[in-house]
Amino acid sequence: MGPNIRKAITVIMSCIFVLAIVRLTEVGSFIKEQKTTASWMHAFDSNEQSVMVADPLMERIMDIAKSRTIQPINATIDRVWKAIPGYNGLEVDVEQSYALNKRVDETKMPLQLAYRETEPTVTLSQLPPSPVFKGNSNKPMAALMINVAWGNEFIEPILETLQSEQVKATFFFDGSWLTKNPELAKAIYKAGHEVGNHAYTHPNMSTLSEGLQHQEIAKTEKVVKATFGVNSKWFAPPSGDFNALTVRTAASLGMRTVMWTFDTLDWRHPSPATIVQRLRAKLEAGTLILMHPTSSSSSALQSMIHVIKQKKLALGTVSEILSEKRHGELKVEP
């Protein structure tokens, strides 16, 4: 083999060697990059902080997150109050908070923190059939329950007050009333209020057989569906009269039985001032307030709403107050 051939072979082998080193370096960098990404993903998924704390911003967010966590509260059956809904917890969304702040000089600027709700292990929907008398006391809300079987002349003033105060309520309709007054009922629903089932002929439910109880609720529900195109989530027994069979029957038709925490007793025609005074003394977070379209409640309504707002409670529908969803916290805060 001549010198020129040997020289050519040497050059070729050198080139192959260099290319191999470059290729291996690229592969090594790729593998290293993938391992780093995997480590971060593992840290996020398993809450292992060994990788995260290498980043001062991530370390700061995680330190803050530890003190901002609020544990969820399970729904429960109370000996006195029966079914009480749960309440979602709250925690810092570490990944989203990091994304919000990664371009910020964390040594000089306050952090923006994003939050997410955490659900309880047991929710109201998972509890066995049981009446509800109040919302979770940790949720700063109250709700107006308006049972409608008479009193048409006071419905319009009530709607006007609710609109002026920007409040939504839940109206429970007697089926026979709803059959006779579909347009007025539609006006209530169109205004954004929730609708519920109040049986058909305003009977004392506990005195009825299983078949008749089913008929009272199912017949009204048929009218509710035909009038509004929705199904009721809640059944309010007329006069607050029910038994265990009532609760099971409503549940079989897709409704939970709901009662009240505070009764205006407006059917006794008290003065508006009396209703407001009693409410102020008894009102607390989770209160379900029963009223009817009467002169007393219609006249007292605006003052009732002001008392509720003065106590830093939000007003919402029965579905809103009895849901596990939190009320009032910011999803992102500086």
Side-chain angles (χ1 to χ4, degrees), residues 149-175:
W150 66 86
N152 290 18
E153 65 270 32
F154 300 109
I155 291 178
E156 189 61 36
I158 286 173
L159 289 176
E160 290 174 358
T161 300
L162 294 173
Q163 182 177 3
S164 68
E165 295 293 335
Q166 297 184 322
V167 168
K168 303 303 180 187
T170 301
F171 286 76
F172 292 89
F173 295 112
D174 172 272

PDB file of all heavy atoms in Angstrom, residues 149-175:
ATOM      1  N   ALA A 149     -97.917  29.672  45.420  1.00  0.00           N
ATOM      2  CA  ALA A 149     -99.182  28.967  45.204  1.00  0.00           C
ATOM      3  C   ALA A 149    -100.342  29.953  45.185  1.00  0.00           C
ATOM      4  O   ALA A 149    -101.453  29.599  44.831  1.00  0.00           O
ATOM      5  CB  ALA A 149     -99.408  27.915  46.297  1.00  0.00           C
ATOM      6  N   TRP A 150    -100.060  31.191  45.569  1.00  0.00           N
ATOM      7  CA  TRP A 150    -101.056  32.269  45.571  1.00  0.00           C
ATOM      8  C   TRP A 150    -100.289  33.596  45.626  1.00  0.00           C
ATOM      9  O   TRP A 150     -99.055  33.605  45.670  1.00  0.00           O
ATOM     10  CB  TRP A 150    -101.989  32.138  46.782  1.00  0.00           C
ATOM     11  CG  TRP A 150    -101.290  32.338  48.090  1.00  0.00           C
ATOM     12  CD1 TRP A 150    -101.048  33.532  48.723  1.00  0.00           C
ATOM     13  CD2 TRP A 150    -100.708  31.332  48.925  1.00  0.00           C
ATOM     14  NE1 TRP A 150    -100.362  33.332  49.897  1.00  0.00           N
ATOM     15  CE2 TRP A 150    -100.138  31.991  50.047  1.00  0.00           C
ATOM     16  CE3 TRP A 150    -100.613  29.945  48.857  1.00  0.00           C
ATOM     17  CZ2 TRP A 150     -99.488  31.304  51.070  1.00  0.00           C
ATOM     18  CZ3 TRP A 150     -99.960  29.267  49.869  1.00  0.00           C
ATOM     19  CH2 TRP A 150     -99.419  29.935  50.966  1.00  0.00           C
ATOM     20  N   GLY A 151    -101.013  34.711  45.636  1.00  0.00           N
ATOM     21  CA  GLY A 151    -100.384  36.009  45.815  1.00  0.00           C
ATOM     22  C   GLY A 151     -99.824  36.611  44.544  1.00  0.00           C
ATOM     23  O   GLY A 151     -98.761  37.247  44.572  1.00  0.00           O
ATOM     24  N   ASN A 152    -100.533  36.447  43.423  1.00  0.00           N
ATOM     25  CA  ASN A 152    -100.039  36.966  42.150  1.00  0.00           C
ATOM     26  C   ASN A 152     -99.757  38.473  42.169  1.00  0.00           C
ATOM     27  O   ASN A 152     -98.853  38.949  41.503  1.00  0.00           O
ATOM     28  CB  ASN A 152    -101.049  36.674  41.036  1.00  0.00           C
ATOM     29  CG  ASN A 152    -101.112  35.206  40.691  1.00  0.00           C
ATOM     30  OD1 ASN A 152    -100.676  34.364  41.468  1.00  0.00           O
ATOM     31  ND2 ASN A 152    -101.649  34.891  39.526  1.00  0.00           N
ATOM     32  N   GLU A 153    -100.552  39.212  42.936  1.00  0.00           N
ATOM     33  CA  GLU A 153    -100.422  40.673  42.910  1.00  0.00           C
ATOM     34  C   GLU A 153     -99.095  41.159  43.478  1.00  0.00           C
ATOM     35  O   GLU A 153     -98.680  42.308  43.249  1.00  0.00           O
ATOM     36  CB  GLU A 153    -101.582  41.327  43.676  1.00  0.00           C
ATOM     37  CG  GLU A 153    -101.618  41.046  45.175  1.00  0.00           C
ATOM     38  CD  GLU A 153    -102.413  39.799  45.542  1.00  0.00           C
ATOM     39  OE1 GLU A 153    -102.443  38.833  44.746  1.00  0.00           O
ATOM     40  OE2 GLU A 153    -103.010  39.810  46.637  1.00  0.00           O
ATOM     41  N   PHE A 154     -98.399  40.291  44.230  1.00  0.00           N
ATOM     42  CA  PHE A 154     -97.135  40.714  44.847  1.00  0.00           C
ATOM     43  C   PHE A 154     -95.906  40.189  44.095  1.00  0.00           C
ATOM     44  O   PHE A 154     -94.775  40.514  44.471  1.00  0.00           O
ATOM     45  CB  PHE A 154     -97.088  40.257  46.314  1.00  0.00           C
ATOM     46  CG  PHE A 154     -98.198  40.832  47.147  1.00  0.00           C
ATOM     47  CD1 PHE A 154     -99.238  40.024  47.586  1.00  0.00           C
ATOM     48  CD2 PHE A 154     -98.225  42.193  47.457  1.00  0.00           C
ATOM     49  CE1 PHE A 154    -100.284  40.551  48.342  1.00  0.00           C
ATOM     50  CE2 PHE A 154     -99.255  42.730  48.208  1.00  0.00           C
ATOM     51  CZ  PHE A 154    -100.294  41.905  48.653  1.00  0.00           C
ATOM     52  N   ILE A 155     -96.117  39.366  43.085  1.00  0.00           N
ATOM     53  CA  ILE A 155     -94.978  38.803  42.356  1.00  0.00           C
ATOM     54  C   ILE A 155     -94.222  39.878  41.589  1.00  0.00           C
ATOM     55  O   ILE A 155     -92.981  39.927  41.618  1.00  0.00           O
ATOM     56  CB  ILE A 155     -95.441  37.662  41.421  1.00  0.00           C
ATOM     57  CG1 ILE A 155     -95.879  36.462  42.264  1.00  0.00           C
ATOM     58  CG2 ILE A 155     -94.320  37.270  40.459  1.00  0.00           C
ATOM     59  CD1 ILE A 155     -96.392  35.294  41.459  1.00  0.00           C
ATOM     60  N   GLU A 156     -94.935  40.743  40.912  1.00  0.00           N
ATOM     61  CA  GLU A 156     -94.269  41.787  40.126  1.00  0.00           C
ATOM     62  C   GLU A 156     -93.434  42.717  41.012  1.00  0.00           C
ATOM     63  O   GLU A 156     -92.264  43.007  40.686  1.00  0.00           O
ATOM     64  CB  GLU A 156     -95.295  42.586  39.315  1.00  0.00           C
ATOM     65  CG  GLU A 156     -94.679  43.537  38.310  1.00  0.00           C
ATOM     66  CD  GLU A 156     -93.843  42.839  37.257  1.00  0.00           C
ATOM     67  OE1 GLU A 156     -94.217  41.726  36.841  1.00  0.00           O
ATOM     68  OE2 GLU A 156     -92.791  43.400  36.869  1.00  0.00           O
ATOM     69  N   PRO A 157     -93.963  43.209  42.147  1.00  0.00           N
ATOM     70  CA  PRO A 157     -93.118  44.033  43.031  1.00  0.00           C
ATOM     71  C   PRO A 157     -91.881  43.292  43.536  1.00  0.00           C
ATOM     72  O   PRO A 157     -90.805  43.888  43.658  1.00  0.00           O
ATOM     73  CB  PRO A 157     -94.063  44.390  44.188  1.00  0.00           C
ATOM     74  CG  PRO A 157     -95.433  44.278  43.614  1.00  0.00           C
ATOM     75  CD  PRO A 157     -95.362  43.165  42.615  1.00  0.00           C
ATOM     76  N   ILE A 158     -92.041  42.005  43.805  1.00  0.00           N
ATOM     77  CA  ILE A 158     -90.898  41.209  44.255  1.00  0.00           C
ATOM     78  C   ILE A 158     -89.850  41.117  43.154  1.00  0.00           C
ATOM     79  O   ILE A 158     -88.644  41.286  43.391  1.00  0.00           O
ATOM     80  CB  ILE A 158     -91.362  39.803  44.702  1.00  0.00           C
ATOM     81  CG1 ILE A 158     -92.078  39.900  46.052  1.00  0.00           C
ATOM     82  CG2 ILE A 158     -90.182  38.828  44.784  1.00  0.00           C
ATOM     83  CD1 ILE A 158     -92.720  38.602  46.510  1.00  0.00           C
ATOM     84  N   LEU A 159     -90.285  40.869  41.923  1.00  0.00           N
ATOM     85  CA  LEU A 159     -89.354  40.791  40.802  1.00  0.00           C
ATOM     86  C   LEU A 159     -88.633  42.124  40.590  1.00  0.00           C
ATOM     87  O   LEU A 159     -87.428  42.153  40.285  1.00  0.00           O
ATOM     88  CB  LEU A 159     -90.097  40.385  39.529  1.00  0.00           C
ATOM     89  CG  LEU A 159     -90.586  38.934  39.451  1.00  0.00           C
ATOM     90  CD1 LEU A 159     -91.379  38.716  38.165  1.00  0.00           C
ATOM     91  CD2 LEU A 159     -89.417  37.963  39.532  1.00  0.00           C
ATOM     92  N   GLU A 160     -89.347  43.213  40.739  1.00  0.00           N
ATOM     93  CA  GLU A 160     -88.735  44.530  40.563  1.00  0.00           C
ATOM     94  C   GLU A 160     -87.655  44.777  41.614  1.00  0.00           C
ATOM     95  O   GLU A 160     -86.580  45.311  41.313  1.00  0.00           O
ATOM     96  CB  GLU A 160     -89.808  45.615  40.632  1.00  0.00           C
ATOM     97  CG  GLU A 160     -90.749  45.611  39.429  1.00  0.00           C
ATOM     98  CD  GLU A 160     -91.897  46.598  39.579  1.00  0.00           C
ATOM     99  OE1 GLU A 160     -91.979  47.252  40.646  1.00  0.00           O
ATOM    100  OE2 GLU A 160     -92.712  46.726  38.635  1.00  0.00           O
ATOM    101  N   THR A 161     -87.936  44.391  42.859  1.00  0.00           N
ATOM    102  CA  THR A 161     -86.939  44.560  43.927  1.00  0.00           C
ATOM    103  C   THR A 161     -85.714  43.694  43.672  1.00  0.00           C
ATOM    104  O   THR A 161     -84.571  44.143  43.817  1.00  0.00           O
ATOM    105  CB  THR A 161     -87.553  44.221  45.296  1.00  0.00           C
ATOM    106  OG1 THR A 161     -88.656  45.081  45.561  1.00  0.00           O
ATOM    107  CG2 THR A 161     -86.518  44.375  46.408  1.00  0.00           C
ATOM    108  N   LEU A 162     -85.939  42.447  43.299  1.00  0.00           N
ATOM    109  CA  LEU A 162     -84.823  41.551  43.016  1.00  0.00           C
ATOM    110  C   LEU A 162     -83.962  42.087  41.879  1.00  0.00           C
ATOM    111  O   LEU A 162     -82.733  42.033  41.932  1.00  0.00           O
ATOM    112  CB  LEU A 162     -85.338  40.145  42.672  1.00  0.00           C
ATOM    113  CG  LEU A 162     -86.027  39.384  43.807  1.00  0.00           C
ATOM    114  CD1 LEU A 162     -86.629  38.081  43.277  1.00  0.00           C
ATOM    115  CD2 LEU A 162     -85.050  39.083  44.939  1.00  0.00           C
ATOM    116  N   GLN A 163     -84.609  42.634  40.863  1.00  0.00           N
ATOM    117  CA  GLN A 163     -83.867  43.185  39.733  1.00  0.00           C
ATOM    118  C   GLN A 163     -83.061  44.419  40.135  1.00  0.00           C
ATOM    119  O   GLN A 163     -81.887  44.562  39.767  1.00  0.00           O
ATOM    120  CB  GLN A 163     -84.810  43.533  38.585  1.00  0.00           C
ATOM    121  CG  GLN A 163     -84.088  44.072  37.349  1.00  0.00           C
ATOM    122  CD  GLN A 163     -85.040  44.354  36.200  1.00  0.00           C
ATOM    123  OE1 GLN A 163     -86.256  44.203  36.325  1.00  0.00           O
ATOM    124  NE2 GLN A 163     -84.501  44.768  35.065  1.00  0.00           N
ATOM    125  N   SER A 164     -83.685  45.291  40.901  1.00  0.00           N
ATOM    126  CA  SER A 164     -82.988  46.522  41.304  1.00  0.00           C
ATOM    127  C   SER A 164     -81.806  46.223  42.213  1.00  0.00           C
ATOM    128  O   SER A 164     -80.802  46.945  42.200  1.00  0.00           O
ATOM    129  CB  SER A 164     -83.964  47.474  41.998  1.00  0.00           C
ATOM    130  OG  SER A 164     -84.393  46.947  43.252  1.00  0.00           O
ATOM    131  N   GLU A 165     -81.884  45.146  42.980  1.00  0.00           N
ATOM    132  CA  GLU A 165     -80.804  44.762  43.890  1.00  0.00           C
ATOM    133  C   GLU A 165     -79.847  43.750  43.251  1.00  0.00           C
ATOM    134  O   GLU A 165     -78.895  43.306  43.889  1.00  0.00           O
ATOM    135  CB  GLU A 165     -81.380  44.173  45.183  1.00  0.00           C
ATOM    136  CG  GLU A 165     -82.175  45.156  46.027  1.00  0.00           C
ATOM    137  CD  GLU A 165     -81.313  46.250  46.620  1.00  0.00           C
ATOM    138  OE1 GLU A 165     -80.090  46.020  46.800  1.00  0.00           O
ATOM    139  OE2 GLU A 165     -81.850  47.341  46.911  1.00  0.00           O
ATOM    140  N   GLN A 166     -80.138  43.371  42.010  1.00  0.00           N
ATOM    141  CA  GLN A 166     -79.305  42.399  41.271  1.00  0.00           C
ATOM    142  C   GLN A 166     -79.152  41.093  42.046  1.00  0.00           C
ATOM    143  O   GLN A 166     -78.043  40.580  42.255  1.00  0.00           O
ATOM    144  CB  GLN A 166     -77.939  43.006  40.954  1.00  0.00           C
ATOM    145  CG  GLN A 166     -78.022  44.225  40.049  1.00  0.00           C
ATOM    146  CD  GLN A 166     -76.669  44.767  39.651  1.00  0.00           C
ATOM    147  OE1 GLN A 166     -75.737  44.793  40.441  1.00  0.00           O
ATOM    148  NE2 GLN A 166     -76.551  45.202  38.407  1.00  0.00           N
ATOM    149  N   VAL A 167     -80.290  40.553  42.453  1.00  0.00           N
ATOM    150  CA  VAL A 167     -80.328  39.320  43.235  1.00  0.00           C
ATOM    151  C   VAL A 167     -81.133  38.259  42.487  1.00  0.00           C
ATOM    152  O   VAL A 167     -82.191  38.563  41.923  1.00  0.00           O
ATOM    153  CB  VAL A 167     -80.964  39.569  44.628  1.00  0.00           C
ATOM    154  CG1 VAL A 167     -81.280  38.254  45.340  1.00  0.00           C
ATOM    155  CG2 VAL A 167     -80.033  40.426  45.476  1.00  0.00           C
ATOM    156  N   LYS A 168     -80.638  37.025  42.479  1.00  0.00           N
ATOM    157  CA  LYS A 168     -81.375  35.901  41.918  1.00  0.00           C
ATOM    158  C   LYS A 168     -81.890  35.025  43.058  1.00  0.00           C
ATOM    159  O   LYS A 168     -81.187  34.785  44.038  1.00  0.00           O
ATOM    160  CB  LYS A 168     -80.482  35.065  40.996  1.00  0.00           C
ATOM    161  CG  LYS A 168     -79.866  35.857  39.846  1.00  0.00           C
ATOM    162  CD  LYS A 168     -80.907  36.548  38.978  1.00  0.00           C
ATOM    163  CE  LYS A 168     -80.245  37.322  37.839  1.00  0.00           C
ATOM    164  NZ  LYS A 168     -81.226  38.132  37.074  1.00  0.00           N
ATOM    165  N   ALA A 169     -83.122  34.550  42.908  1.00  0.00           N
ATOM    166  CA  ALA A 169     -83.764  33.718  43.923  1.00  0.00           C
ATOM    167  C   ALA A 169     -84.208  32.402  43.298  1.00  0.00           C
ATOM    168  O   ALA A 169     -84.090  32.203  42.080  1.00  0.00           O
ATOM    169  CB  ALA A 169     -84.956  34.455  44.531  1.00  0.00           C
ATOM    170  N   THR A 170     -84.724  31.506  44.133  1.00  0.00           N
ATOM    171  CA  THR A 170     -85.302  30.254  43.641  1.00  0.00           C
ATOM    172  C   THR A 170     -86.787  30.252  43.937  1.00  0.00           C
ATOM    173  O   THR A 170     -87.198  30.385  45.101  1.00  0.00           O
ATOM    174  CB  THR A 170     -84.628  29.031  44.287  1.00  0.00           C
ATOM    175  OG1 THR A 170     -83.222  29.066  43.997  1.00  0.00           O
ATOM    176  CG2 THR A 170     -85.215  27.736  43.736  1.00  0.00           C
ATOM    177  N   PHE A 171     -87.606  30.120  42.887  1.00  0.00           N
ATOM    178  CA  PHE A 171     -89.064  30.090  43.020  1.00  0.00           C
ATOM    179  C   PHE A 171     -89.538  28.638  42.913  1.00  0.00           C
ATOM    180  O   PHE A 171     -89.219  27.944  41.946  1.00  0.00           O
ATOM    181  CB  PHE A 171     -89.716  30.912  41.910  1.00  0.00           C
ATOM    182  CG  PHE A 171     -89.582  32.406  42.086  1.00  0.00           C
ATOM    183  CD1 PHE A 171     -88.381  33.057  41.811  1.00  0.00           C
ATOM    184  CD2 PHE A 171     -90.669  33.171  42.521  1.00  0.00           C
ATOM    185  CE1 PHE A 171     -88.266  34.439  41.952  1.00  0.00           C
ATOM    186  CE2 PHE A 171     -90.561  34.546  42.668  1.00  0.00           C
ATOM    187  CZ  PHE A 171     -89.354  35.185  42.390  1.00  0.00           C
ATOM    188  N   PHE A 172     -90.306  28.206  43.916  1.00  0.00           N
ATOM    189  CA  PHE A 172     -90.880  26.859  43.914  1.00  0.00           C
ATOM    190  C   PHE A 172     -92.361  26.974  43.564  1.00  0.00           C
ATOM    191  O   PHE A 172     -93.117  27.636  44.275  1.00  0.00           O
ATOM    192  CB  PHE A 172     -90.698  26.199  45.281  1.00  0.00           C
ATOM    193  CG  PHE A 172     -89.256  25.884  45.595  1.00  0.00           C
ATOM    194  CD1 PHE A 172     -88.452  26.821  46.218  1.00  0.00           C
ATOM    195  CD2 PHE A 172     -88.708  24.652  45.249  1.00  0.00           C
ATOM    196  CE1 PHE A 172     -87.123  26.546  46.503  1.00  0.00           C
ATOM    197  CE2 PHE A 172     -87.383  24.363  45.531  1.00  0.00           C
ATOM    198  CZ  PHE A 172     -86.591  25.314  46.155  1.00  0.00           C
ATOM    199  N   PHE A 173     -92.755  26.317  42.481  1.00  0.00           N
ATOM    200  CA  PHE A 173     -94.109  26.474  41.964  1.00  0.00           C
ATOM    201  C   PHE A 173     -95.026  25.323  42.329  1.00  0.00           C
ATOM    202  O   PHE A 173     -94.695  24.144  42.115  1.00  0.00           O
ATOM    203  CB  PHE A 173     -94.074  26.616  40.438  1.00  0.00           C
ATOM    204  CG  PHE A 173     -93.380  27.858  39.958  1.00  0.00           C
ATOM    205  CD1 PHE A 173     -92.172  27.765  39.293  1.00  0.00           C
ATOM    206  CD2 PHE A 173     -93.924  29.117  40.193  1.00  0.00           C
ATOM    207  CE1 PHE A 173     -91.528  28.906  38.835  1.00  0.00           C
ATOM    208  CE2 PHE A 173     -93.283  30.260  39.749  1.00  0.00           C
ATOM    209  CZ  PHE A 173     -92.078  30.161  39.075  1.00  0.00           C
ATOM    210  N   ASP A 174     -96.172  25.675  42.870  1.00  0.00           N
ATOM    211  CA  ASP A 174     -97.281  24.744  43.004  1.00  0.00           C
ATOM    212  C   ASP A 174     -97.765  24.410  41.587  1.00  0.00           C
ATOM    213  O   ASP A 174     -97.969  25.311  40.762  1.00  0.00           O
ATOM    214  CB  ASP A 174     -98.393  25.414  43.817  1.00  0.00           C
ATOM    215  CG  ASP A 174     -99.669  24.605  43.867  1.00  0.00           C
ATOM    216  OD1 ASP A 174    -100.488  24.791  42.936  1.00  0.00           O
ATOM    217  OD2 ASP A 174     -99.845  23.835  44.805  1.00  0.00           O
ATOM    218  N   GLY A 175     -97.926  23.119  41.289  1.00  0.00           N
ATOM    219  CA  GLY A 175     -98.247  22.713  39.925  1.00  0.00           C
ATOM    220  C   GLY A 175     -99.553  23.267  39.399  1.00  0.00           C
ATOM    221  O   GLY A 175     -99.642  23.661  38.226  1.00  0.00           O
TER     222      GLY A 175
END
